[in-house]
Amino acid sequence: MDIALKIGSRWRKVGLKLESYNPSGSIKYRTARGLIRALEASGLLAPGSHLVESTSGNLGVALAFLSQVRDYRFTAVTDPKADPVMLEHMKSMGAVVISAGEPDEDGSYLLSRLAMIRRLLAEDRASIWPNQYENPANPEIHYHETAPEICRQRPGMDAVFIAASTGGTLAGIGRYLRSVSATAKVVGVDVRGSRVFGYPSGKRLITGIGSSCTSLFLRPGDYDDVVIVDDREAVTTCHYLQDNLGIGLGGSAGAVVAACARYLKAHPEIAQPVCICPDGSANYLNTLYNYAWLAGHGFGSVLNLESLAFSDVLKW
Ligand SMILES: Cc1ncc(COP(=O)(O)O)c(C=O)c1O
């Protein structure tokens, strides 16, 4: 769908690619399908096979969904930052959900989750780890499916904004666009405190986007620019779009739209930007969309528009 952001005195059209419409509710449905398809192609999976994966939520929901359909067992290793909505969703589809205990130095849990994965693999030697962090099937599905779909849907696109965590979505879409367009800008989006692009680590609130490790997929030529967004800017954008347009975006999508607005301000020539919105508000009803939770995390007044690069929003 298209919206208009008021940036300075100009209204700018922005395309939102709403990945919440995937069967499991997020862009990670595509990643999960790519990972499972690659394992099946190498003959590693049979009915009853046991998959284990580390996830901040969405990949877990997608793997639980596909495991139920294809008769695999699935154990998700998540952490206390995940919204209970996503954990319950995984469990309702038969997944075993384990929460990694100890936070890393920056308050995230990736290293703790990976240690738990190694323990599970040692306990059940027949279990299989798709490993979204290193498996080339992750960027490949976005190269072969997500990116051509974007180009079909918006042939004149001149900039695309993509949230990064493993970097699989950005690497896959970026490489494809490089092969078909000499001009379209590929912009990676991350949150402050994340190490995906090598910036210093720090506490982060939003899940899904960001990581305490650099991406193993991304190469410098895969993207043109990176925009780093504060948690507050992303959350404010989510609430502003929800309150004014009734569009419920997830936290990383809020970061992507906030980044796009900032980029458009600096690039008046861009006419057809697209924001990849990885998931929707349904995944964050107990966290980013819960005022008591926000207040407990230092977000007393969410809608402080001064931090944003846009001043108003409309449906296009
Ligand atoms: C909500 C959300 N945003 C962004 C991303 C980033 O995707 P990637 O791991 O492909 O970089 C994810 C991945 O888990 C996600 O769940």
PDB file of all heavy atoms in Angstrom, residues 151-171:
ATOM      1  N   CYS A 151      10.190  -5.971  -7.509  1.00  0.00           N
ATOM      2  CA  CYS A 151      10.390  -5.317  -8.813  1.00  0.00           C
ATOM      3  C   CYS A 151       9.154  -5.432  -9.692  1.00  0.00           C
ATOM      4  O   CYS A 151       8.833  -4.506 -10.436  1.00  0.00           O
ATOM      5  CB  CYS A 151      11.611  -5.913  -9.521  1.00  0.00           C
ATOM      6  SG  CYS A 151      13.143  -5.536  -8.663  1.00  0.00           S
ATOM      7  N   ARG A 152       8.445  -6.570  -9.581  1.00  0.00           N
ATOM      8  CA  ARG A 152       7.205  -6.720 -10.354  1.00  0.00           C
ATOM      9  C   ARG A 152       6.140  -5.770  -9.832  1.00  0.00           C
ATOM     10  O   ARG A 152       5.401  -5.143 -10.587  1.00  0.00           O
ATOM     11  CB  ARG A 152       6.671  -8.163 -10.225  1.00  0.00           C
ATOM     12  CG  ARG A 152       7.269  -9.145 -11.194  1.00  0.00           C
ATOM     13  CD  ARG A 152       6.410 -10.411 -11.288  1.00  0.00           C
ATOM     14  NE  ARG A 152       6.132 -11.047 -10.010  1.00  0.00           N
ATOM     15  CZ  ARG A 152       6.956 -11.874  -9.367  1.00  0.00           C
ATOM     16  NH1 ARG A 152       8.127 -12.171  -9.888  1.00  0.00           N
ATOM     17  NH2 ARG A 152       6.620 -12.413  -8.205  1.00  0.00           N
ATOM     18  N   GLN A 153       6.076  -5.648  -8.476  1.00  0.00           N
ATOM     19  CA  GLN A 153       5.007  -4.839  -7.885  1.00  0.00           C
ATOM     20  C   GLN A 153       5.253  -3.344  -8.075  1.00  0.00           C
ATOM     21  O   GLN A 153       4.324  -2.558  -8.141  1.00  0.00           O
ATOM     22  CB  GLN A 153       4.886  -5.159  -6.384  1.00  0.00           C
ATOM     23  CG  GLN A 153       4.319  -6.554  -6.139  1.00  0.00           C
ATOM     24  CD  GLN A 153       4.360  -6.963  -4.673  1.00  0.00           C
ATOM     25  OE1 GLN A 153       5.164  -6.457  -3.894  1.00  0.00           O
ATOM     26  NE2 GLN A 153       3.507  -7.903  -4.312  1.00  0.00           N
ATOM     27  N   ARG A 154       6.528  -2.930  -8.109  1.00  0.00           N
ATOM     28  CA  ARG A 154       6.851  -1.491  -8.199  1.00  0.00           C
ATOM     29  C   ARG A 154       8.012  -1.317  -9.189  1.00  0.00           C
ATOM     30  O   ARG A 154       9.154  -1.097  -8.798  1.00  0.00           O
ATOM     31  CB  ARG A 154       7.205  -0.993  -6.789  1.00  0.00           C
ATOM     32  CG  ARG A 154       7.384   0.501  -6.589  1.00  0.00           C
ATOM     33  CD  ARG A 154       6.222   1.365  -7.020  1.00  0.00           C
ATOM     34  NE  ARG A 154       4.912   0.960  -6.592  1.00  0.00           N
ATOM     35  CZ  ARG A 154       4.221   1.467  -5.568  1.00  0.00           C
ATOM     36  NH1 ARG A 154       4.721   2.426  -4.854  1.00  0.00           N
ATOM     37  NH2 ARG A 154       3.010   1.049  -5.288  1.00  0.00           N
ATOM     38  N   PRO A 155       7.697  -1.408 -10.508  1.00  0.00           N
ATOM     39  CA  PRO A 155       8.769  -1.394 -11.508  1.00  0.00           C
ATOM     40  C   PRO A 155       9.638  -0.133 -11.476  1.00  0.00           C
ATOM     41  O   PRO A 155      10.814  -0.194 -11.771  1.00  0.00           O
ATOM     42  CB  PRO A 155       8.022  -1.489 -12.844  1.00  0.00           C
ATOM     43  CG  PRO A 155       6.616  -1.841 -12.528  1.00  0.00           C
ATOM     44  CD  PRO A 155       6.358  -1.556 -11.088  1.00  0.00           C
ATOM     45  N   GLY A 156       9.051   1.002 -11.063  1.00  0.00           N
ATOM     46  CA  GLY A 156       9.846   2.245 -11.074  1.00  0.00           C
ATOM     47  C   GLY A 156      10.569   2.527  -9.767  1.00  0.00           C
ATOM     48  O   GLY A 156      11.092   3.637  -9.580  1.00  0.00           O
ATOM     49  N   MET A 157      10.609   1.570  -8.876  1.00  0.00           N
ATOM     50  CA  MET A 157      11.205   1.817  -7.548  1.00  0.00           C
ATOM     51  C   MET A 157      12.625   2.371  -7.678  1.00  0.00           C
ATOM     52  O   MET A 157      13.448   1.828  -8.402  1.00  0.00           O
ATOM     53  CB  MET A 157      11.239   0.493  -6.788  1.00  0.00           C
ATOM     54  CG  MET A 157      11.879   0.604  -5.427  1.00  0.00           C
ATOM     55  SD  MET A 157      11.934  -0.992  -4.624  1.00  0.00           S
ATOM     56  CE  MET A 157      13.216  -1.812  -5.568  1.00  0.00           C
ATOM     57  N   ASP A 158      12.893   3.476  -6.945  1.00  0.00           N
ATOM     58  CA  ASP A 158      14.252   4.025  -7.027  1.00  0.00           C
ATOM     59  C   ASP A 158      15.001   3.964  -5.694  1.00  0.00           C
ATOM     60  O   ASP A 158      16.167   4.369  -5.632  1.00  0.00           O
ATOM     61  CB  ASP A 158      14.253   5.448  -7.611  1.00  0.00           C
ATOM     62  CG  ASP A 158      13.269   6.377  -6.932  1.00  0.00           C
ATOM     63  OD1 ASP A 158      12.670   5.969  -5.917  1.00  0.00           O
ATOM     64  OD2 ASP A 158      13.101   7.507  -7.416  1.00  0.00           O
ATOM     65  N   ALA A 159      14.345   3.477  -4.643  1.00  0.00           N
ATOM     66  CA  ALA A 159      15.057   3.239  -3.370  1.00  0.00           C
ATOM     67  C   ALA A 159      14.267   2.216  -2.566  1.00  0.00           C
ATOM     68  O   ALA A 159      13.028   2.246  -2.556  1.00  0.00           O
ATOM     69  CB  ALA A 159      15.191   4.528  -2.568  1.00  0.00           C
ATOM     70  N   VAL A 160      14.988   1.307  -1.893  1.00  0.00           N
ATOM     71  CA  VAL A 160      14.316   0.316  -1.051  1.00  0.00           C
ATOM     72  C   VAL A 160      14.983   0.318   0.321  1.00  0.00           C
ATOM     73  O   VAL A 160      16.213   0.404   0.419  1.00  0.00           O
ATOM     74  CB  VAL A 160      14.296  -1.084  -1.715  1.00  0.00           C
ATOM     75  CG1 VAL A 160      15.692  -1.611  -1.987  1.00  0.00           C
ATOM     76  CG2 VAL A 160      13.508  -2.086  -0.881  1.00  0.00           C
ATOM     77  N   PHE A 161      14.158   0.255   1.363  1.00  0.00           N
ATOM     78  CA  PHE A 161      14.637   0.349   2.745  1.00  0.00           C
ATOM     79  C   PHE A 161      14.380  -0.989   3.440  1.00  0.00           C
ATOM     80  O   PHE A 161      13.239  -1.467   3.457  1.00  0.00           O
ATOM     81  CB  PHE A 161      13.926   1.504   3.463  1.00  0.00           C
ATOM     82  CG  PHE A 161      14.269   2.829   2.833  1.00  0.00           C
ATOM     83  CD1 PHE A 161      13.594   3.267   1.700  1.00  0.00           C
ATOM     84  CD2 PHE A 161      15.305   3.604   3.319  1.00  0.00           C
ATOM     85  CE1 PHE A 161      13.930   4.463   1.080  1.00  0.00           C
ATOM     86  CE2 PHE A 161      15.654   4.805   2.713  1.00  0.00           C
ATOM     87  CZ  PHE A 161      14.961   5.228   1.587  1.00  0.00           C
ATOM     88  N   ILE A 162      15.444  -1.571   4.012  1.00  0.00           N
ATOM     89  CA  ILE A 162      15.360  -2.955   4.488  1.00  0.00           C
ATOM     90  C   ILE A 162      15.994  -3.080   5.871  1.00  0.00           C
ATOM     91  O   ILE A 162      17.169  -2.736   6.064  1.00  0.00           O
ATOM     92  CB  ILE A 162      16.096  -3.895   3.496  1.00  0.00           C
ATOM     93  CG1 ILE A 162      15.536  -3.730   2.080  1.00  0.00           C
ATOM     94  CG2 ILE A 162      16.008  -5.340   3.962  1.00  0.00           C
ATOM     95  CD1 ILE A 162      16.393  -4.363   0.997  1.00  0.00           C
ATOM     96  N   ALA A 163      15.223  -3.605   6.830  1.00  0.00           N
ATOM     97  CA  ALA A 163      15.744  -3.820   8.191  1.00  0.00           C
ATOM     98  C   ALA A 163      16.724  -4.988   8.183  1.00  0.00           C
ATOM     99  O   ALA A 163      16.566  -5.938   7.425  1.00  0.00           O
ATOM    100  CB  ALA A 163      14.587  -4.136   9.134  1.00  0.00           C
ATOM    101  N   ALA A 164      17.722  -4.911   9.061  1.00  0.00           N
ATOM    102  CA  ALA A 164      18.735  -5.977   9.104  1.00  0.00           C
ATOM    103  C   ALA A 164      18.875  -6.568  10.500  1.00  0.00           C
ATOM    104  O   ALA A 164      18.899  -5.852  11.498  1.00  0.00           O
ATOM    105  CB  ALA A 164      20.075  -5.428   8.643  1.00  0.00           C
ATOM    106  N   SER A 165      18.966  -7.890  10.505  1.00  0.00           N
ATOM    107  CA  SER A 165      19.307  -8.607  11.741  1.00  0.00           C
ATOM    108  C   SER A 165      20.352  -9.659  11.368  1.00  0.00           C
ATOM    109  O   SER A 165      21.547  -9.452  11.544  1.00  0.00           O
ATOM    110  CB  SER A 165      18.054  -9.229  12.364  1.00  0.00           C
ATOM    111  OG  SER A 165      18.408  -9.949  13.504  1.00  0.00           O
ATOM    112  N   THR A 166      19.925 -10.791  10.798  1.00  0.00           N
ATOM    113  CA  THR A 166      20.932 -11.692  10.219  1.00  0.00           C
ATOM    114  C   THR A 166      21.554 -11.040   8.985  1.00  0.00           C
ATOM    115  O   THR A 166      22.644 -11.417   8.560  1.00  0.00           O
ATOM    116  CB  THR A 166      20.318 -13.036   9.775  1.00  0.00           C
ATOM    117  OG1 THR A 166      19.416 -12.794   8.693  1.00  0.00           O
ATOM    118  CG2 THR A 166      19.598 -13.726  10.910  1.00  0.00           C
ATOM    119  N   GLY A 167      20.839 -10.119   8.360  1.00  0.00           N
ATOM    120  CA  GLY A 167      21.277  -9.490   7.110  1.00  0.00           C
ATOM    121  C   GLY A 167      20.845 -10.279   5.879  1.00  0.00           C
ATOM    122  O   GLY A 167      21.137  -9.877   4.750  1.00  0.00           O
ATOM    123  N   GLY A 168      20.106 -11.368   6.077  1.00  0.00           N
ATOM    124  CA  GLY A 168      19.707 -12.211   4.945  1.00  0.00           C
ATOM    125  C   GLY A 168      18.789 -11.484   3.971  1.00  0.00           C
ATOM    126  O   GLY A 168      18.977 -11.563   2.750  1.00  0.00           O
ATOM    127  N   THR A 169      17.805 -10.771   4.504  1.00  0.00           N
ATOM    128  CA  THR A 169      16.866 -10.064   3.614  1.00  0.00           C
ATOM    129  C   THR A 169      17.614  -9.003   2.817  1.00  0.00           C
ATOM    130  O   THR A 169      17.458  -8.904   1.590  1.00  0.00           O
ATOM    131  CB  THR A 169      15.750  -9.378   4.452  1.00  0.00           C
ATOM    132  OG1 THR A 169      15.248 -10.291   5.420  1.00  0.00           O
ATOM    133  CG2 THR A 169      14.626  -8.903   3.575  1.00  0.00           C
ATOM    134  N   LEU A 170      18.421  -8.213   3.505  1.00  0.00           N
ATOM    135  CA  LEU A 170      19.146  -7.125   2.839  1.00  0.00           C
ATOM    136  C   LEU A 170      20.141  -7.665   1.813  1.00  0.00           C
ATOM    137  O   LEU A 170      20.220  -7.157   0.684  1.00  0.00           O
ATOM    138  CB  LEU A 170      19.871  -6.276   3.900  1.00  0.00           C
ATOM    139  CG  LEU A 170      20.745  -5.137   3.393  1.00  0.00           C
ATOM    140  CD1 LEU A 170      19.953  -4.150   2.537  1.00  0.00           C
ATOM    141  CD2 LEU A 170      21.388  -4.392   4.569  1.00  0.00           C
ATOM    142  N   ALA A 171      20.879  -8.702   2.176  1.00  0.00           N
ATOM    143  CA  ALA A 171      21.872  -9.251   1.234  1.00  0.00           C
ATOM    144  C   ALA A 171      21.186  -9.802  -0.011  1.00  0.00           C
ATOM    145  O   ALA A 171      21.614  -9.530  -1.142  1.00  0.00           O
ATOM    146  CB  ALA A 171      22.693 -10.341   1.921  1.00  0.00           C
TER     147      ALA A 171
END
